[in-house]
Amino acid sequence: MIRISRPAVAGLMLAAGLAACKKEAPATDTTAMAKTDTTTAAAATTTTPAPSKWTAPSTVGFAWAANDGEIPIAKLAETKAGNADVKAYAKMLVADHTKMLADVKALATKQSITPDTTMDDVKDAMGHARDELKDLTDKAKGADWDKDFIGKMVDDHQKVLDKLQDAVKNTSDSTITKALTAASGKVQQHLTKAQELQAKLK
């Protein structure tokens, strides 16, 4: 039988205790590290902003399409509308959108921007203008035609205004922002006038 002295027993117990502590330590450290990694990953995910769809080419492309599509519809209304106020409104639209289109083209030239017509908003604007022009061309003149035209102008200018304002908030180029702000003001005028006419024609 092997005898172990008290000091030796105490030493063994101390060694066992230290060994137990060492075994537990890595588990705690691993958890802390996992938490740190998760926090870091979450921070990296939330701080990366999504790229804006309103690049300079897409913004110019949309403004170009919106103005270009409005002109032939307004010209049709100049000849087809029966209400004098509606005719005057159509004449204003032709003048304003012709100037706005010229301003967009000048901006594109000055900034060396090639309009992007591949964005969904641009394609939608172009297709919508074609559909409206066909619809209004096929309809007979009269009070209902005037109401339909003005109703379309309310909807169209509201949609264009919303997109222009969204583009203003997401564009960093000061020259483009200035042009968009001016265009938004003019479109707001057109929308307000159309809403006034819509109320009168009911």
Side-chain angles (χ1 to χ4, degrees):
M1 183 175 175
I2 301 171
R3 288 190 174 189
I4 302 174
S5 64
R6 286 184 181 178
V9 171
L12 287 172
M13 289 177 67
L14 180 61
L18 287 173
C21 288
K22 284 181 182 178
K23 285 180 183 177
E24 291 175 5
T28 307
D29 292 344
T30 303
T31 306
M33 286 172 65
K35 286 181 181 177
T36 304
D37 290 345
T38 305
T39 306
T40 305
T45 303
T46 54
T47 54
T48 306
S52 172
K53 66 179 179 179
W54 295 112
T55 61
S58 64
T59 301
V60 170
F62 177 76
W64 192 311
N67 285 297
D68 193 49
E70 207 70 59
I71 295 168
I73 295 172
K75 282 183 176 179
L76 177 65
E78 279 188 289
T79 62
K80 208 163 182 178
N83 183 285
D85 290 336
V86 175
K87 276 185 178 289
Y89 177 70
K91 185 176 181 179
M92 178 187 72
L93 290 183
V94 171
D96 287 351
H97 283 290
T98 299
K99 183 182 183 306
M100 290 165 74
L101 179 59
D103 289 344
V104 171
K105 289 179 178 179
L107 176 66
T109 301
K110 182 181 178 182
Q111 299 288 95
S112 299
I113 299 169
T114 301
D116 179 9
T117 57
T118 63
M119 188 173 76
D120 287 343
D121 287 327
V122 179
K123 290 190 287 188
D124 288 347
M126 293 167 70
H128 183 67
R130 283 194 300 269
D131 292 344
E132 276 194 347
L133 183 61
K134 185 181 185 309
D135 182 53
L136 291 169
T137 300
D138 294 343
K139 281 189 175 179
K141 293 180 180 181
D144 286 341
W145 192 96
D146 292 358
K147 288 179 184 178
D148 189 21
F149 166 69
I150 291 299
K152 283 177 166 57
M153 292 304 97
V154 170
D155 292 342
D156 290 354
H157 284 86
Q158 184 62 68
K159 287 174 184 174
V160 170
L161 181 62
D162 290 343
K163 292 189 186 301
L164 288 177
Q165 289 176 338
D166 184 48
V168 168
K169 289 186 287 186
N170 291 284
T171 302
S172 57
D173 188 306
S174 59
T175 303
I176 294 177
T177 300
K178 184 179 178 181
L180 289 174
T181 302
S184 295
K186 187 61 69 175
V187 172
Q188 179 64 69
Q189 289 176 17
H190 293 172
L191 173 60
T192 301
K193 184 63 179 176
Q195 289 169 330
E196 290 172 357
L197 286 170
Q198 189 177 48
K200 288 180 181 178
L201 294 173
K202 283 182 178 179

